[in-house]
């Protein structure tokens, strides 16, 4: 992967890549170190146990994120394929619009993409089976990881700590007994949802086609519930609620707001438009097309006009950029994939961003120089966003958590372990 592609991935706050960098590369290490330092102020023994718990917690959760969830996704897709149905068919196509949907796409692409149309026809014929398989896939890729990260992992972690503390001090054994039915209740709930025959199909297409980021939001919400539920006492529950709420806000809300502020600051101070992706800004053919007024885009903004333009101008610079940014999917024969739903709102937003950038670049004088300056500024903003949000997550949030702990318990020690010292 080139440097530009890496920066582009980090700059996409609607993807999981910035999360991975913040979580595994920066946040985990800092939190583990700060956990030891905070507890060591009063007890080296508890500091060691609290740090071990944090290492298992942080990196165990990351392992499920990076390995378990893709594995469940792969297994689910393979199972759907084994039933003779294509996992590539977008559930949103069941909700027919004026210009796209299962029936519309079958008719429109029947002579252009026969294999893909056959996939659509099979799914249409086996709608109920496909629906149930998508429900199972959704819960397999969310409920199971939540159960592992939010319930099973902390319980095993705490169980090991309990055994260690017994060895350290045989006379003190005051660990709270875990409630054994928490995980069972959660899994039974997921199972009942999978086997339910009264699933709302209109709502299902939203669940089945959630972005990776939206699934992460659900996972972290479930993780928060699990961690609070399995906490060993009231003080640990309160601290966990504080920590997880802060983490969710800093992971999913703050980066987008920081991005907006950095873009506004760059435009106000330097007059540079940084709304386009770095891959687009780095594309020489795109910049030359702007310079020579050769960017051809959809004239209208409604769905039919946009889709007709995409289908009739698949080799245009605009559509090529949309492909590169994964705003639209094409088959190997350069025909739009009829199994995929096109989010026309994103295409329209992209068009408006190009128009605004084009005007600003031409006002500047040299389009090439403006693009180079905008590329550098955009790249800097992306790195700055990752750095700022990582600092907030890895340093500021833990410090606030320790202040909250001190106010709540009057101690620097981890409230889940200190009761058992």
């Amino acid at each position: 992967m080139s440097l530009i592609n890496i920066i582009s991935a980090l700059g996409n706050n609607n993807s999981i890549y910035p999360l991975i960098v913040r979580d595994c590369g920066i946040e985990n290490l800092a939190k583990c170190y700060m956990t030891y330092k905070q507890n060591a102020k009063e007890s080296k023994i508890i500091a060691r146990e609290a740090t071990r718990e944090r290492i298992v917690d942080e990196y165990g959760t990351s392992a499920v994120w990076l390995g378990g969830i893709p594995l469940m996704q792969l297994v689910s897709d393979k199972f759907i394929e084994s039933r003779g149905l294509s996992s590539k068919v977008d559930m949103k196509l069941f909700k027919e619009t004026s210009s796209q949907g299962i029936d519309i796409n079958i008719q429109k692409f029947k002579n252009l993409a026969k294999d893909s149309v056959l996939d659509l026809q099979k799914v249409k014929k086996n709608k109920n089976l496909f629906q149930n398989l998508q429900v199972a896939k959704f819960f397999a890729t969310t409920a199971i990881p939540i159960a592992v990260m939010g319930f099973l992992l902390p319980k095993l972690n705490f169980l090991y700590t309990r055994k260690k503390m017994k060895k350290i001090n045989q006379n003190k054994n005051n660990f709270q007994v875990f409630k054994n039915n928490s995980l069972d209740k959660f899994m039974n709930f997921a199972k009942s949802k999978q086997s339910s025959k009264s699933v709302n199909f209109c709502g299902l297409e939203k669940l089945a086609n959630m972005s990776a980021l939206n699934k992460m939001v659900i996972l972290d919400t479930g993780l928060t519930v699990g961690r609070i539920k399995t906490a060993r006492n009231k003080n640990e529950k309160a601290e966990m609620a504080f920590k997880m709420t802060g983490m969710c806000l800093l992971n999913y809300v703050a980066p987008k707001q920081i991005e907006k502020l950095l873009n506004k600051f760059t435009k106000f101070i330097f007059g540079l438009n940084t709304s386009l992706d770095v891959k687009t800004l780095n594309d020489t053919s795109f910049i030359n097309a702007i310079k020579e007024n050769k960017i051809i885009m959809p004239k209208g903004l409604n769905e039919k006009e946009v889709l007709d333009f995409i289908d009739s101008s698949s080799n245009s610079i605009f559509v090529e950029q949309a492909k590169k940014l994964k705003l639209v999917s094409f088959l190997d024969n350069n025909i739009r994939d009829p199994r995929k739903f096109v989010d026309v709102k994103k295409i329209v937003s992209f068009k408006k961003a190009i128009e605004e950038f084009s005007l600003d670049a031409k006002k500047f004088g040299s389009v090439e120089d403006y693009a180079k300056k905008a590329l550098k500024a955009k790249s800097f903003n992306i790195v700055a966003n990752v750095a700022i949000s990582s600092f907030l997550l890895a340093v500021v949030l833990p410090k606030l958590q320790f202040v909250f702990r001190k106010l709540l318990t009057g101690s620097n020690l981890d409230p889940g372990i200190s009761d058992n010292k």
Side-chain angles (χ1 to χ4, degrees), residues 118-383:
L118 182 60
D119 288 339
L120 289 175
Q121 290 171 334
K122 288 180 179 179
V123 166
K124 180 184 176 182
K125 184 178 179 181
N126 299 278
K127 179 177 177 180
N128 290 334
L129 174 60
F130 189 69
Q131 171 186 352
N132 291 332
L133 290 173
Q134 289 292 343
V135 173
K137 176 182 174 179
F138 173 77
F139 280 99
T141 54
T142 54
I144 293 176
I146 286 172
V148 173
M149 294 187 299
F151 293 86
L152 184 60
L153 180 62
K155 285 191 175 186
L156 292 175
N157 209 3
F158 298 160
L159 180 62
Y160 183 78
T161 299
R162 183 172 65 184
K163 290 182 177 180
K164 287 289 295 288
M165 294 301 289
K166 279 183 178 180
K167 290 181 180 180
I168 293 171
N169 190 342
Q170 294 292 334
N171 296 322
K172 293 183 179 181
N173 185 22
N174 298 320
F175 265 69
Q176 182 183 8
V177 178
F178 299 121
K179 295 182 179 179
N180 295 322
N181 62 347
S182 299
L183 178 59
D184 293 337
K185 285 182 178 179
F186 186 85
M187 294 305 293
N188 287 335
F189 169 77
K191 186 177 180 181
S192 67
K193 289 293 184 183
Q194 289 184 33
S195 61
S196 173
K197 295 182 180 180
S198 59
V199 178
N200 186 321
F201 193 78
C202 293
L204 174 62
E205 52 89 9
K206 294 180 180 180
L207 296 179
N209 292 283
M210 277 186 173
S211 66
L213 183 69
N214 287 337
K215 285 186 177 179
M216 282 298 184
V217 173
I218 291 178
L219 289 171
D220 274 341
T221 301
L223 178 60
T224 300
V225 173
R227 293 301 166 85
I228 295 173
K229 184 74 173 177
T230 56
R232 290 163 285 197
N233 53 54
K234 290 183 179 179
N235 288 336
E236 190 175 40
K237 288 179 186 292
E239 183 176 321
M240 191 59 65
F242 180 88
K243 169 194 167 184
M244 296 301 292
T245 300
M247 186 196 73
C248 289
L249 289 173
L250 292 176
N251 263 328
Y252 302 114
V253 179
K256 293 183 179 181
Q257 299 306 314
I258 294 171
E259 180 185 11
K260 290 178 181 179
L261 288 173
L262 289 173
N263 286 343
K264 287 182 179 179
F265 178 82
T266 304
K267 184 69 180 290
F268 180 75
I269 299 297
F270 303 106
L272 295 173
N273 186 320
T274 54
S275 58
L276 293 176
D277 190 276
V278 291
K279 287 191 288 188
T280 302
L281 293 172
N282 191 56
D283 192 313
T284 303
S285 61
F286 172 79
I287 300 303
N288 287 335
I290 288 181
K291 178 183 177 181
E292 297 169 8
N293 295 315
K294 291 183 178 180
I295 292 283
I296 302 173
M297 297 187 288
K299 293 183 179 180
L301 301 180
N302 66 57
E303 184 178 66
K304 186 178 186 309
E305 289 174 308
V306 171
L307 291 177
D308 285 347
F309 177 85
I310 290 173
D311 293 334
S312 62
S313 308
S314 59
N315 292 319
S316 67
I317 292 176
F318 177 78
V319 176
E320 286 296 330
Q321 291 299 318
K323 293 178 190 176
K324 187 181 294 186
L325 298 177
K326 297 183 180 180
L327 298 178
V328 61
S329 298
F330 274 72
L331 300 170
D332 293 337
N333 61 359
N334 207 28
I335 298 296
R336 177 164 61 89
D337 191 341
R339 298 167 298 183
K340 302 297 184 181
F341 183 87
V342 180
D343 190 334
V344 174
K345 290 182 180 179
K346 290 183 179 180
I347 301 291
V348 170
S349 295
F350 181 52
K351 176 195 172 185
K352 291 180 178 179
I354 291 176
E355 289 172 340
E356 291 172 3
F357 179 84
S358 180
L359 288 173
D360 292 335
K362 289 173 182 177
K363 287 179 183 178
F364 181 80
S366 172
V367 174
E368 293 97 331
D369 290 344
Y370 186 85
K372 289 178 182 178
K373 290 177 182 293
L375 175 60
K376 291 179 181 178
K378 180 73 172 184
S379 300
F380 176 83
N381 286 355
I382 289 171
V383 174

